[in-house]
Amino acid sequence: MLIGANKIESHNDELLKKHQNKFAFTTSEVGETESIIQKLIDFQIAIPSWALGTGGTRFGRFPGGGEPRSIEEKIEDVGLLHALNNASGAISLHIPWDIPTDYQAIKNLAGQHGLKFDAMNSNTFQDQATQEHSYKFGSLQNANKAIRKQAIAHNIEVIKHGIELGSESLTVWLADGSSFPGQLNFRKAYQNTLESLEEIYAALPSNWKLFLEYKCAEPNFYSTTVADWGQSYSYVKKLGDKAQTLVDLGHHLPNANIEQIVSLLLMEGKLGGFHFNDSKYGDDDLTAGALKPYQLFLIFNELVEGMDARGMNHAKDLGWMIDASHNIKDPLEDLLQSVEAIMIAYAQALLVDRKALEIAQEENDVVKAQEILQNAFRTDVRALVAEARLRSGAALNPVALYRGLDVRGNLIGERGLKTMATGL
Amino acid sequence: MLIGANKIESHNDELLKKHQNKFAFTTSEVGETESIIQKLIDFQIAIPSWALGTGGTRFGRFPGGGEPRSIEEKIEDVGLLHALNNASGAISLHIPWDIPTDYQAIKNLAGQHGLKFDAMNSNTFQDQATQEHSYKFGSLQNANKAIRKQAIAHNIEVIKHGIELGSESLTVWLADGSSFPGQLNFRKAYQNTLESLEEIYAALPSNWKLFLEYKCAEPNFYSTTVADWGQSYSYVKKLGDKAQTLVDLGHHLPNANIEQIVSLLLMEGKLGGFHFNDSKYGDDDLTAGALKPYQLFLIFNELVEGMDARGMNHAKDLGWMIDASHNIKDPLEDLLQSVEAIMIAYAQALLVDRKALEIAQEENDVVKAQEILQNAFRTDVRALVAEARLRSGAALNPVALYRGLDVRGNLIGERGLKTMATGL
Amino acid sequence: MLIGANKIESHNDELLKKHQNKFAFTTSEVGETESIIQKLIDFQIAIPSWALGTGGTRFGRFPGGGEPRSIEEKIEDVGLLHALNNASGAISLHIPWDIPTDYQAIKNLAGQHGLKFDAMNSNTFQDQATQEHSYKFGSLQNANKAIRKQAIAHNIEVIKHGIELGSESLTVWLADGSSFPGQLNFRKAYQNTLESLEEIYAALPSNWKLFLEYKCAEPNFYSTTVADWGQSYSYVKKLGDKAQTLVDLGHHLPNANIEQIVSLLLMEGKLGGFHFNDSKYGDDDLTAGALKPYQLFLIFNELVEGMDARGMNHAKDLGWMIDASHNIKDPLEDLLQSVEAIMIAYAQALLVDRKALEIAQEENDVVKAQEILQNAFRTDVRALVAEARLRSGAALNPVALYRGLDVRGNLIGERGLKTMATGL
Amino acid sequence: MLIGANKIESHNDELLKKHQNKFAFTTSEVGETESIIQKLIDFQIAIPSWALGTGGTRFGRFPGGGEPRSIEEKIEDVGLLHALNNASGAISLHIPWDIPTDYQAIKNLAGQHGLKFDAMNSNTFQDQATQEHSYKFGSLQNANKAIRKQAIAHNIEVIKHGIELGSESLTVWLADGSSFPGQLNFRKAYQNTLESLEEIYAALPSNWKLFLEYKCAEPNFYSTTVADWGQSYSYVKKLGDKAQTLVDLGHHLPNANIEQIVSLLLMEGKLGGFHFNDSKYGDDDLTAGALKPYQLFLIFNELVEGMDARGMNHAKDLGWMIDASHNIKDPLEDLLQSVEAIMIAYAQALLVDRKALEIAQEENDVVKAQEILQNAFRTDVRALVAEARLRSGAALNPVALYRGLDVRGNLIGERGLKTMATGL
């Protein structure tokens, strides 16, 4: 299914007057908005191929219909999102779930949808039917060298696929760890993992980056071998300039101050990118901004301040990706909601009066500093985000248009009700 | 596979001398041990049918071999455990994973292994192929009455299976809840659930109990409709005398004081039973006692004190069951370790000098009270637990004998390497 | 210091045009606003006497100047807040920190500031110089009956003070609990506490309420005798209709779903009132809405829905109070910020499209339900809150006027720099 | 008060026979015990001067009597502990609470009690009466350079006191952080702190170490400037070889795997030392081993393995200190209980069959690895710890002797009932 420009236009025409009124008011409130809108237009959030189907939990799974059955259909799905919001201009593939057979054809298809290939993702947390050794006791950490070798080779293969597609980064998330005290020698697990990462790092093209994710727990429930930002930092520091830490919002212990971590990693030149989602208990993988929108804003507040301080390009110098799981919502609707929440947080962060905040901080005026942030957060910036979409040919209200066009119904018609996307 | 009494005897003969020496010393240390040993002999922990196969996480699953393929083989597995430790004399079935076709045959088989049928478990957290309505948005709480009716009927069917087998209780664990703010009207979800439970309750035979489990989160990640002990308590209070709360050790928010909850539920006459396991992060479902053995002891300390205060029979008046998940250990070995840890905690709790503790509490002698508990916990009670096994014809060292007899190898020989037990 | 009406008027005159413009736009966006504004005008949040001075932590304390030295000066401080925002029309006193000597004089003074006397607070978590027995090992729970009697008598004395002042409720917060396993017999502690509460309850006038707070931990670090909503509920259920549960937002274990608790307590007719504050780690007692504004909104969303469902009066049928602590902010500025955040959350909750939400919930339209709540939350309602202030003679921007008038400087001039308010 | 050798001897004589019997059995169970006992004799845990008096919470404080009123009396108290257990052979001082006037006299006094001076502790989390600038908004992080300078100078002064007394390390714990979003620029706070630490580091004698503590929260409740091990590691890495991380067991987010952190810091050569205590909710500062004895054992398991792997001396190459707070126990009794729990955990860790564990880990035999650790932990090692005391002239049962001699009664007699130790 394709969403024609005319469909979007007629949708926008209907909402235009109300939008213009709100946009005019917002502009009058916040002052100069043109540079903000341009930044919003430029900002793109990659969609992971596995978020297009039902993810779910270890308990029941409740797949919807019309899920993408192939890499081509996944690209089609992201294309639909991008047509609707012009903010999802990249797809992040996962090997072996998305092994392309004809690179050029895939690149052409993505190009038709205006999509780039974001970070490639390897998988050493599951056993594939064709695989010689099992990752039951870990991959890059494994006490058994043959298993480590297999996992290293897999990662290098993923890089190769990515090179063909024009991706420029590899995201390594390791399930490696232990579920019981005594199971692992932490030091040896670290050193094995480091050695393995060094081999993978050596296979990176010069323009590539390696993003090393951390996660406090799950699927191992006693220790994880890259468990927190400090551990990821200690690895990427040893690996070299191309290695950086990737922050997934759902991978922290309760109450962690993620925005401080983001600020410090940026300071160290070791922040590589993000996996956006939201959570209450663990790695719940819910819609971004669905539970803690102020935290999301505070994170963007650090990103904007920190990237500007280093002269970084917001849109290009970090990897932005959603990583969520869908069990009870239509994945495409959920992704539209995630992108909207992220854009809102970003827009709010762009509104922060940096000069005033700096002065308040210098003067330890805590009340004022709080007011400055709350002032930005309490501002209704939805018209700015909508204006960015309007100017780039996307829909004023993506979810409404998605529903109005019965996209899901169309996809079910095309693909069937009982399809099942590859993934978790 | 069956473990003959002669195998156990020759195993015990080898270890006997060392055991007798240790047992004699322990007796000399703790004084009277006969009543403790009798209580240990009487204490039986039910094994849930789904813990006999690979459970796992929402990520990789790493099945071992020789998993039971049928209810008969599950009974055989529990029979093996019971032969080894004489403390696993019951099996807890799950419908629809364990629907018996011939009740009498199943009862006979269980009887041959010395097993009873513990609580029956219903399943409204997954959709079965034959089912009309989906539980995607909950079962007993569902806004749709037809779905609630279906879930009620399922629970009543489970009771019927249980009656045939001689079970006397139904455990209701509900995944019902919501993953996003706004999804649920909490009050209506509560009232729907209550109404549904009332219909199920009405179908209980007079000698049955209904155990209502609570869980803070997962698989729903915003709210759960029976989320904590207080919520479970408020339901079972309304339902009536046959309804009680079931405590699963892994279902609490971080830092919860579970032993206090246990004490208060006992006081209210509303504690029904236990699901034993251990965890660090969430519902990790690890081996009982593997991470927090002192907490397990403190829980048993409350159980012994509270049950004695109410004149309850330790072995019979509460439901004792393991609920764990196995991804990287042989399930049978893990279950043997769980039972051992539970028996140790129980034995330590039996050692507590109740009279001295009561005096210390009356006098607010905090140092003394701590010493009394630590004294019991620091005592090596393994010889008492082993003696209880020895006297009842089980093995002095169950895991060692299990390995010595290559039970898993035999099961793989009989059942094959790639079997897959029903369950999560 | 008094803030004259003319000061407020001239402040408002300056901001009026900008405000009117924003208010007009907001009205055009959200439709009918008059009923919302009336509700905002009616809504009053009590200020606790102890929040007017430096609270702090167990580490450094950094008092500011001009703190109130007497009950009269505390009333003056709340009067200043109320003059500025017309939303702080009550003071909550604490005995023995605020024992009045001349009730009528105090009532007159409060009346001059337009203040009522909200819930009275007792203190059995500290020892007073004149006190016979120590609360080192608890008060209402104490194993020693004489200590329980003393604590009961104190609470009854607090009620008497409250009767004289026209208060109609007693808030009981108990530090009772234990810091070490074994210290307490949980059941006896519960029963002692219940008995003690029954005696206090018996002394309540017929128009009074008893609010029983719960708290998961601190100052006791192993168990607390009223530790969670379920425990408080089980007490107040036994006590009778005049006893209800009080929810302090900072008193929960990590990740607790407070809004669900609120909804269920309302459903049971057992929600008595609130202590507002915000927190990240424990009972941090920070400014309301400073960290989790969406949670605050979700709580108000349940309050509005649940109170309306029971036909309750928002302003009168529950107790609304701030409970915060101030170490690094000017307490009065902080309280203005707290009240503003609470009013914003309340206004947003009033905006929620209840009918649409109910339909979305009936249809399990999770995406829609989320949108409805987010739509309300993302709306900039500050002009509505400001309009409510404007209409009732308060300041459009209370913090700005507070600073513009140099209220703190004036208070320091009147009271001195090194004053120290009674309290924590 | 002094405890004469004869008092200890007669106490030991009474318990000797029972002890010898138990020791003989333990030796027969665990094999070679001589090297373990020697290690236990050598192991000394420093007592912080502030733990000798009532610490407490931000709520009630309940001081006992006979608290030390001077540095001399603090040394006397630690001397009493050391006489009783011969495992508390050092005191850790805090400036300005313990500023010595006559270094030589103090050194002589300590020498008479067999005590050394462990790490010196600076205090920039409170304002002293004589101090020019306030630490209200932090010390080493402060936006105001003059305040940073003052805090640096204080730390250098602490080093000077330490040099005079023969201490060889400085522990820096910073309360620096923020309580509200926006208050701090995290990057600048980090850089200010780093610069300040560099100046302090430059003042260290060549044989000294600087221990940098981390803490997730409290007294700041939004961010802490040295918040986790990763942050401390990133500072000490930049500072140089003399700078190392100090782990306080109570300073972590919920569910943190502390033993893994310990292992990795040891691997990096950046573990400096420990503050022992126990906790359930936050920095509860309870008796070591009172709540999570298995965690304490697992930490020692990593310490023994990791230190042996680096050829380190257990007793000398890391700093061992208790950091606890006392509100409801006699501080000296509590410290005796803490030391006992630490020695037990250490002894259990020494019992672990390292060779077998290494093999189990190499073979991913998770069940076996768990058994090896549980076997050590379940062994009753109290006779080993007691034997170490017996051989070094200390008491078989320190708490019993302390009570038998009525030490507290004597101290109250000497010092009075209403003394108040300096400290929190």
Side-chain angles (χ1 to χ4, degrees), chain B residues 56-162:
Chain B
T57 71
R58 65 179 168 130
F59 296 99
R61 277 148 200 266
F62 304 100
E67 297 193 1
R69 295 161 298 181
S70 63
I71 182 171
E72 288 81 4
E73 290 184 355
K74 290 176 187 178
I75 289 169
E76 185 189 0
D77 273 13
V78 180
L80 287 166
L81 297 176
H82 194 48
L84 289 165
N85 66 18
N86 198 51
S88 312
I91 184 166
S92 188
L93 298 182
H94 179 284
I95 305 297
W97 298 337
D98 306 311
I99 297 181
T101 47
D102 180 340
Y103 296 115
Q104 196 52 52
I106 291 296
K107 284 172 76 170
N108 291 347
L109 182 65
Q112 286 160 25
H113 290 284
L115 304 182
K116 295 184 178 164
F117 290 95
D118 205 82
M120 300 296 292
N121 299 272
S122 59
N123 178 339
T124 61
F125 54 88
Q126 291 181 316
D127 288 348
Q128 309 301 328
T130 56
Q131 180 177 318
E132 190 179 350
H133 302 290
S134 169
Y135 295 132
K136 186 171 189 165
F137 302 107
S139 58
L140 300 188
Q141 76 169 13
N142 207 296
N144 182 333
K145 188 164 187 169
I147 300 177
R148 298 202 298 273
K149 285 285 172 201
Q150 173 182 290
I152 293 164
H154 166 68
N155 273 280
I156 293 172
E157 189 211 329
V158 174
I159 294 170
K160 285 184 185 150
H161 289 303

Side-chain angles (χ1 to χ4, degrees), chain A residues 303-379:
Chain A
L303 287 167
V304 166
E305 196 275 342
M307 293 183 85
D308 287 351
R310 297 177 68 87
M312 292 167 76
N313 180 315
H314 295 185
K316 294 187 183 162
D317 290 349
L318 288 180
W320 311 108
M321 193 168 101
I322 288 170
D323 186 4
S325 180
H326 304 95
N327 205 22
I328 58 170
K329 277 183 182 174
D330 178 327
L332 296 183
E333 294 188 356
D334 187 275
L335 289 161
L336 290 173
Q337 290 187 311
S338 275
V339 171
E340 177 80 1
I342 294 166
M343 297 305 277
I344 285 174
Y346 179 40
Q348 290 165 331
L350 290 170
L351 280 191
V352 170
D353 186 339
R354 299 266 150 230
K355 201 162 279 178
L357 182 59
E358 200 182 326
I359 293 169
Q361 288 169 343
E362 288 299 316
E363 296 176 349
N364 288 311
D365 189 343
V366 183
V367 167
K368 188 76 178 173
Q370 179 177 319
E371 274 209 342
I372 291 166
L373 292 191
Q374 288 185 329
N375 188 46
F377 181 72
R378 288 167 177 171
T379 301

Side-chain angles (χ1 to χ4, degrees), chain A residues 83-113:
Chain A
L84 289 165
N85 67 16
N86 198 50
S88 312
I91 185 167
S92 188
L93 298 182
H94 178 284
I95 304 299
W97 299 336
D98 306 311
I99 297 182
T101 48
D102 180 341
Y103 296 115
Q104 197 52 51
I106 291 295
K107 284 172 75 172
N108 291 346
L109 182 66
Q112 287 162 23
H113 290 283

